[in-house]
Amino acid sequence: MSHLSVATRQAEKRPNVSFEFFPPKNETMDERLWECVRRLEPMAPHFVSVTYGAGGSTRARTHETVGRIVTDTRLTPAAHLTCVGAPREEVLQTAEDYYEAGVRHIVALRGDAPQDDDFAQPEGRYTNVVDLVTDLRAHRPDLGKVFEISVACYPEPHPDSRGWDADLAHLKRKQDAGADRAITQFFFEPEIYFEFVEKARAAGITIPLVPGIMLQPNFNGLKKFAKMCGASVPDWLHKLYEGLDDDADTRDLITANVAAELCHKLADGGVEQFHFYTLNRANLALSTCHLLGLKPATAEAA
Ligand code: FAD
């Protein structure tokens, strides 16, 4: 893989990046988020998204965060919205509230049901993200036309997967219901992504499948999360973080390099958009962008 060839290609075409944040829980986290937003703003991302806690647990904080992105920055926010188990009217009201706050992009998700719940929900509550995407388009046609809708997809089987055929048919239903793009769960081997894209294209999925790139320098946390969501953690990654439990600085450097290397390989295979799971840490997202040859928009204009 040649960084030079990537740099040359990027001189011709600037890759699209988007950044994902989570809504802060306290003042310290709030300061960290906004420092992160300010430092990443010059990278001119396509959009920045803000997660939504399971069961609507962060509804107010997600709303406040996307609202502030609208009023205080030049960034385009995307608000995540999970639906499983929640009353339809309540979820659609949240979407309308986002609209009123100036948000025009929703990341529509089923989310995780509370434990011991088999997704069987009482009448009037969502069980399925396809219904949410359908409703977002149809409930208020005026809003439905305006919203850009992203959904999630899984290059490696999600724990609830019923097999590839069912997964691809489900993703196709999300597309057919009106999703504009799907953002992938994180992965570490480019082949995993390329094989997934090939299967998806063969199944009639034509929307962009944007790779989600994880920037989690806490390797123990990463392993736990990967286990929960079905992402594989390759042996070589275990080896890279070996012996670094007490060395956060080196873990940061490795994390940015691993992410950049993955993006380079994806870019060599034709990928032009990357979604970064920033964990509200500017340094990792910024170094990864720089390693990718992306300069702040202001520096490019100069
Ligand atoms: P789906 O894609 O609907 O389903 C997940 C799995 O079940 C897939 O394998 C799918 O094929 C299968 N499945 C579901 N229904 C059917 C069906 N009818 N037939 C066949 N197969 C089916 N969680 C949060 O709580 N808040 C967030 O903000 C958040 N943001 C996320 C952003 C991204 C980009 C990603 C990838 C995940 C995010 N998550 C978030 C995690 C997500 O909520 C969980 O992975 C959840 O378990 C699945 O939600 P989903 O919308 O992806 O579900």
Side-chain angles (χ1 to χ4, degrees):
M1 187 258 312
S2 145
H3 284 216
L4 191 62
S5 69
V6 171
T8 310
R9 190 191 48 249
Q10 284 172 352
E12 291 156 10
K13 193 159 192 178
R14 188 185 161 91
N16 246 318
V17 294
S18 50
F19 300 119
E20 183 172 307
F21 305 124
F22 62 87
K25 263 194 198 135
N26 55 41
E27 216 168 291
T28 312
M29 289 167 90
D30 190 70
E31 275 168 28
R32 189 169 106 183
L33 167 68
W34 289 101
E35 192 222 328
C36 180
V37 171
R38 292 289 172 215
R39 290 184 63 199
L40 292 179
E41 190 172 10
M43 301 313 292
H46 179 203
F47 63 90
V48 295
S49 79
V50 181
T51 61
Y52 191 79
S57 54
T58 67
R59 183 166 50 194
R61 283 187 274 128
T62 299
H63 185 95
E64 194 186 322
T65 306
V66 286
R68 191 166 158 198
I69 290 170
V70 172
T71 54
D72 292 12
T73 77
R74 284 175 298 165
L75 296 166
T76 304
H80 292 218
L81 182 59
T82 66
C83 65
V84 68
R88 282 176 182 241
E89 289 311 316
E90 189 183 297
V91 174
L92 295 173
Q93 184 58 53
T94 303
E96 290 198 25
D97 293 345
Y98 283 149
Y99 180 84
E100 294 306 325
V103 175
R104 299 291 181 267
H105 183 167
I106 288 186
V107 181
L109 301 144
R110 182 197 69 186
D112 291 310
Q115 287 204 332
D116 302 328
D117 191 322
D118 65 356
F119 295 105
Q121 298 292 343
E123 192 72 5
R125 289 172 188 258
Y126 281 110
T127 58
N128 189 318
V129 68
V130 177
D131 293 342
L132 173 60
V133 177
T134 304
D135 284 355
L136 286 173
R137 289 283 181 232
H139 170 70
R140 285 257 318 259
D142 52 334
L143 304 194
K145 279 195 222 102
V146 174
F147 277 135
E148 192 171 334
I149 300 177
S150 297
V151 291
C153 64
Y154 298 87
E156 295 178 275
H158 181 282
D160 297 336
S161 167
R162 303 168 203 173
W164 274 118
D165 288 349
D167 280 353
L168 294 167
H170 185 62
L171 183 55
K172 174 84 165 44
R173 283 194 292 274
K174 295 195 210 183
Q175 166 182 287
D176 294 346
D180 296 303
R181 83 173 54 66
I183 302 170
T184 77
Q185 185 56 277
F186 67 89
F187 58 90
F188 293 102
E189 306 277 15
E191 297 74 27
I192 290 176
Y193 171 82
F194 289 125
E195 282 165 22
F196 168 66
V197 172
E198 206 178 309
K199 286 196 275 265
R201 297 301 180 227
I205 294 153
T206 53
I207 53 175
L209 303 170
V210 180
I213 308 295
M214 180 50 85
L215 296 171
Q216 168 58 287
N218 173 346
F219 190 59
N220 290 325
L222 175 76
K223 281 187 291 187
K224 229 192 265 171
F225 187 47
K227 204 170 166 191
M228 272 162 46
C229 66
S232 61
V233 180
D235 284 346
W236 58 262
L237 199 61
H238 283 266
K239 289 201 182 100
L240 279 181
Y241 286 100
E242 229 165 58
L244 295 177
D245 284 357
D246 299 322
D247 187 349
D249 288 345
T250 308
R251 279 189 278 118
D252 279 3
L253 293 171
I254 288 177
T255 304
N257 270 286
V258 164
E261 189 78 11
L262 174 59
C263 292
H264 279 301
K265 288 178 180 163
L266 293 170
D268 280 346
V271 174
E272 291 170 356
Q273 298 181 44
F274 302 98
H275 182 77
F276 291 107
Y277 298 111
T278 71
L279 305 178
N280 297 3
R281 300 263 319 256
N283 61 339
L284 292 168
L286 268 182
S287 20
T288 307
C289 286
H290 276 264
L291 286 165
L292 271 175
L294 264 179
K295 296 281 179 286
T298 43
E300 280 193 345

